[in-house]
Amino acid sequence: QLQLQESGPGLVKPSETLSLTCAVSGGSIDRTTYYWGWIRQPPGKGLEWIGSIYYSGTTYDNPSLNSRLTISVDKSKNQFSLKLSSVTAADTAVYYCARHSYSTPVDSWGQGTLVTVSS
Amino acid sequence: QPVLTQPSPASASLGSSVKLTCTLSSGYINHIIAWHQQQPGKAPRYLMKIEGSGRYNKGSGVPDRFSGSSFGADRYLTISNLQSEDEADYYCETWDNTRVFGGGTKLTVL
């Protein structure tokens, strides 16, 4: 059974870079069918798609974030990562990693990790 | 890009049925959508995807009480025989060259 597990600092200072990793187990990240994505949820609010990556390194992302965003994949470790630069308090959220195909819905979610942006 | 609209909140009595709505914006009324359930304090869970024809496919382990349907730009999630554990936020999702979520419906089971 596929499992996704987010990890990274729970507290980031304003203007710094938020970095998270998603470890994938129970399946290979280089299966040709799937994209691996990041979705966030500010406290008390709804879901916002951040961006997704294919095992080859092809990415697509939310235009509102793409100037600050880097998503990468490490096939040797079966994991993928998110970097969001120049963070502000508005980036405080629970960050989820997820799996989907290009034209199908998210069908697996990680448990989520809370990242707070504060000095 | 598509926009998804979900009314909120919603409520229904234990053991009854409820029908939640997700409306696609103009120009996207034939899009497939998905429903996700988020119980309090938990990660979302994929429930099903629904085509414009009304055909739906459920995720693994989703109870038979959950079903989907469609009419025009609207996609529906119907929950029958409501249980206390169905009290949750329900989000719809669709995709184009980007991915979009609706604002969510908070369902209270009375």
Side-chain angles (χ1 to χ4, degrees), chain A residues 39 41 45-49 52 60-63 96 100-107 109-112, chain B residues 1 32-34 36 38 42-46 48-49 89 91 93 95-103:
Chain A
I39 295 157
Q41 185 173 36
K45 296 189 178 180
L47 300 167
E48 179 185 34
W49 175 70
S52 301
Y60 69 122
D61 47 47
N62 189 324
Y96 296 99
H100 62 88
S101 298
Y102 189 78
S103 58
T104 64
V106 168
D107 63 3
W109 296 79
Q111 68 181 33
Chain B
Q1 68 182 40
I32 300 171
I33 70 106
H36 301 274
Q38 187 176 34
K42 293 190 174 182
R45 171 197 182 191
Y46 169 66
M48 68 180 70
K49 65 176 182 179
D89 294 322
Y91 292 93
E93 174 202 9
W95 50 93
D96 199 66
N97 53 10
T98 184
R99 291 200 162 244
V100 173
F101 290 92

Side-chain angles (χ1 to χ4, degrees), chain A residues 4 13 29 31 70-71 74 88 91 114:
Chain A
L4 305 172
K13 290 182 167 56
I29 204 166
R31 271 194 69 178
T70 303
I71 301 176
D74 187 336
T88 69
D91 296 308
L114 174 63

Side-chain angles (χ1 to χ4, degrees), chain A residues 5 7 17 24 38-39 45 47 56 58 64 68 71 80-81 83 85 90 92 94-95 102 105 110 115:
Chain A
Q5 180 66 61
S7 62
T17 296
V24 179
W38 291 97
I39 295 157
K45 296 189 178 180
L47 300 167
S56 63
T58 300
S64 69
R68 300 192 289 133
I71 301 176
F80 60 106
S81 299
K83 291 186 187 300
S85 63
T92 294
V94 175
Y95 285 75
Y102 189 78
V115 179

Side-chain angles (χ1 to χ4, degrees), chain B residues 66-82:
Chain B
F66 290 79
S67 62
S69 58
S70 179
F71 183 78
D74 292 335
R75 306 287 182 268
Y76 305 106
L77 173 68
T78 300
I79 312 172
S80 304
N81 187 22
L82 270 169

